[in-house]
Amino acid sequence: MRVLFVRPGIGAGKKGAEVVRLQEPIEIALLAGQIPACLRDRVELGIYDFAVEKGAFKRGLQDFRPDLIVFWVERGQEATASEQALISRETSTSAIIAAAGESAAQADPSVFDLIYTGNPVKQLEETLMGIETERSLDEIKNKLGVTDKGFSGSVLKPMESRAIKKDGYYFLQYPSVREIHSQQRVNFNENGLIGKEVYDLRPIEEIVTDIDNWGSAVYLKDLDIFQSRERLEGLISALEERELKGTYIAAGVWGFSKWEEELNRFRDLGLKVMVLRFTLPGDPETWIAMEEDVSSLRKRGIEPVILIKDELSETDQEALIFWLKKLGEGLVVLEGEALEKNNAIITKLPLSLKIYWRWVGEFGFAEATRRQREYKKALLP
C-alpha cells in the first residue's frame, strides 16, 4: 500500500512565514517511523511538503496513487489543509484522507475521512492494518473509536504550586506516580526530588507490599536501592515474584551501568526513569563513566533525569551544558542553590525529541505540544 504524508501550505497572505517553515518536517518523519515492523515491507511512503514543492500537488497524487493520505495540520493551517484535502479527494477518489497534528481536531470533518485526535501512532497503525486486511472505512472508524476510548492519558494543566514546580518534570510525564521510601522516615512530606542517602533501611518485603497496595506506579525516592547490588537484586526478585509490572521511577547512584542483568530485569518490570544527582566530575575518566551510565539507560529505553542542587560556576555550568548537548540530553531538574543561580542550564537545553515523541504516543500531538511549551515554565521560578 502507498501512504502519502502531506505538510500543508500556510495559505495566501502569509508567505512571509515560509522562511521559518523550510526546516525539515521532523514530526512527519517521526510519525512515519512508528509504522509497525510487520507492515514496513508492505508500505511505500511519500512526503509532499508545500513549503518546498510548488504547484505540482495534483501531479504528485496522480503519480504516487496513494491508498492513505495523512495531512499534518499545525496551528493556522486548518483551512488550507481542508482545501488541499478537497483537491486530494477529487484526484485520489479511492484514497482514505486523514488529519493528524496539533490542530487536527479543528480540521473540517466533512473533508477528512479520519481525524487522529487521541493516540495518532496507534490510530495510524489501525488504519494501515485496516487497509491491509481490506476493511471498510466504517470498520476502520469503529476500530479507531475503540483505540480512542482506550486512551487514558492525563491532560495536566500548567503547574500551579511552587512545591510542584521543583519536581515538575517527572510529574508532567507520570502524574499518577506515588512516592515510596525504602528507608525509615521521620518526615514523609519532603519537597526535594531525591530522598535521604543514609537512614535505617526498610525490609524489602515491606516496600513491595506498599507498592502492591498503592498501585504499581511509584517513585522509589531514596538512594539505597542503587547503592547496593544485593538490595537492588532483592527488590527486583520480590517484584518479579509478585508479578508487579508497572511504572517505576527510581533515584539512582552513578556507576550502575555494570549491573546489566539487574537493569534489564528492572526495565522489563517497567523502570521508566532514573533520577541522578549531578556532582561535577574531577577528572575526564569520571565524565566518561557518567556518559556510559547515561548511554546504558538510553539503550534500554530508560530516561535519565539529571538533578542539580549545588550552585555551579559559569565555567562549570557551560561544561555541563556542552556535555548534555553532546549526549542529546535535556532532562534536567534544579533544586536548592542551583535553582536560584543556574537557570541557564534549563533555558539553553532543548527538550529531547525522544521525550516529545513518547508524549505523542501516550497523550496525542496536541497534549505533547502543550507539555513541550509548559516544560520550562514548570521547572523555573
Side-chain angles (χ1 to χ4, degrees):
M1 78 186 84
R2 295 183 177 89
V3 180
L4 179 66
F5 291 94
V6 179
R7 191 188 194 197
I10 58 176
K14 298 182 180 179
K15 294 300 180 185
E18 287 284 9
V19 176
V20 178
R21 296 189 66 251
L22 287 175
Q23 59 186 340
E24 294 180 2
I26 187 68
E27 299 91 346
I28 292 177
L30 288 169
L31 182 58
Q34 298 301 306
I35 293 174
C38 62
L39 290 174
R40 285 176 190 164
D41 292 342
R42 298 193 289 279
V43 175
E44 182 180 347
L45 298 177
I47 294 179
Y48 191 96
D49 187 350
F50 274 89
V52 179
E53 308 285 347
K54 302 295 181 184
F57 186 45
K58 283 188 178 181
R59 179 62 181 271
L61 290 170
Q62 292 167 348
D63 291 345
F64 192 67
R65 303 191 308 277
D67 300 291
L68 173 64
I69 304 171
V70 181
F71 282 81
W72 180 273
V73 187
E74 298 174 353
R75 187 176 302 173
Q77 295 180 327
E78 299 88 343
T80 305
S82 296
E83 293 171 6
Q84 293 160 358
L86 279 173
I87 296 173
S88 304
R89 175 75 65 213
E90 295 167 358
T91 308
S92 302
T93 56
S94 61
I96 294 174
I97 302 177
E102 180 183 2
S103 295
Q106 282 72 54
D108 186 349
S110 66
V111 175
F112 293 93
D113 298 310
L114 306 171
I115 296 180
Y116 299 156
T117 57
N119 185 331
V121 175
K122 289 294 184 184
Q123 290 172 326
L124 174 62
E125 181 179 335
E126 285 291 348
T127 305
L128 295 176
M129 291 297 294
I131 295 172
E132 177 69 14
T133 56
E134 299 183 349
R135 294 176 188 148
S136 68
L137 179 59
D138 286 340
E139 288 175 318
I140 293 174
K141 286 181 178 179
N142 289 336
K143 278 284 187 181
L144 295 191
V146 171
T147 300
D148 228 8
K149 290 175 183 175
F151 167 69
S152 58
S154 173
V155 180
L156 300 184
K157 300 302 179 185
M159 300 292 102
E160 294 177 357
S161 76
R162 184 69 187 87
I164 291 178
K165 280 189 177 182
K166 290 174 70 176
D167 294 357
Y169 184 74
Y170 86 88
F171 281 116
L172 274 174
Q173 298 182 91
Y174 304 104
S176 61
V177 167
R178 295 279 300 272
E179 291 180 359
I180 287 183
H181 289 280
S182 51
Q183 301 174 349
Q184 299 293 344
R185 316 301 293 173
V186 176
N187 175 16
F188 279 81
N189 298 315
E190 298 171 326
N191 287 327
L193 187 55
I194 287 181
K196 300 296 183 183
E197 186 171 354
V198 179
Y199 244 90
D200 293 335
L201 303 183
R202 297 177 65 199
I204 291 293
E205 191 61 31
E206 189 177 298
I207 300 167
V208 173
T209 298
D210 282 350
I211 294 172
D212 200 0
N213 290 339
W214 294 356
S216 54
V218 301
Y219 175 34
L220 295 163
K221 190 171 181 176
D222 297 323
L223 292 166
D224 58 284
I225 296 297
F226 275 89
Q227 285 179 327
S228 163
R229 188 171 191 172
E230 181 181 358
R231 190 155 170 81
L232 176 61
E233 156 67 28
L235 174 66
I236 293 171
S237 295
L239 292 172
E240 290 172 338
E241 185 177 345
R242 294 204 195 182
E243 299 182 346
L244 291 178
K245 291 187 176 181
T247 297
Y248 294 98
I249 298 173
V253 178
W254 297 101
F256 55 81
S257 56
K258 57 185 178 293
W259 300 344
E260 293 193 4
E261 180 184 348
E262 289 79 4
L263 281 175
N264 289 337
R265 290 165 62 195
F266 209 169
R267 172 205 59 197
D268 293 342
L269 285 165
L271 180 61
K272 304 296 185 185
V273 177
M274 189 179 294
V275 183
L276 296 160
R277 181 170 178 178
F278 176 82
T279 302
L280 193 71
D283 53 70
E285 289 76 16
T286 306
W287 281 109
I288 293 170
M290 291 167 64
E291 186 170 334
E292 290 173 351
D293 283 343
V294 171
S295 299
S296 177
L297 294 177
R298 278 293 180 200
K299 76 178 183 181
R300 292 175 169 85
I302 303 167
E303 287 185 344
V305 172
I306 310 300
L307 171 65
I308 305 170
K309 287 189 173 185
D310 301 324
E311 179 184 353
L312 299 177
S313 68
E314 186 173 345
T315 301
D316 292 342
Q317 176 180 283
E318 291 305 314
L320 174 60
I321 292 172
F322 174 82
W323 183 71
L324 290 171
K325 283 185 175 180
K326 184 180 74 167
L327 296 181
E329 298 297 333
L331 292 79
V332 175
V333 175
L334 305 178
E335 288 184 357
E337 294 178 352
L339 181 64
E340 304 301 326
K341 304 294 185 180
N342 298 112
N343 286 352
I345 296 172
I346 298 288
T347 58
K348 290 184 179 181
L349 279 175
L351 183 64
S352 168
L353 278 175
K354 298 174 186 175
I355 307 163
Y356 175 75
W357 189 244
R358 197 194 63 251
W359 282 347
V360 168
E362 292 180 0
F363 303 106
F365 283 108
E367 171 62 5
T369 302
R370 189 196 67 77
R371 289 178 178 218
Q372 189 178 41
R373 289 196 299 266
E374 293 299 330
Y375 163 64
K376 291 179 180 180
K377 293 181 187 177
L379 294 183
L380 295 176

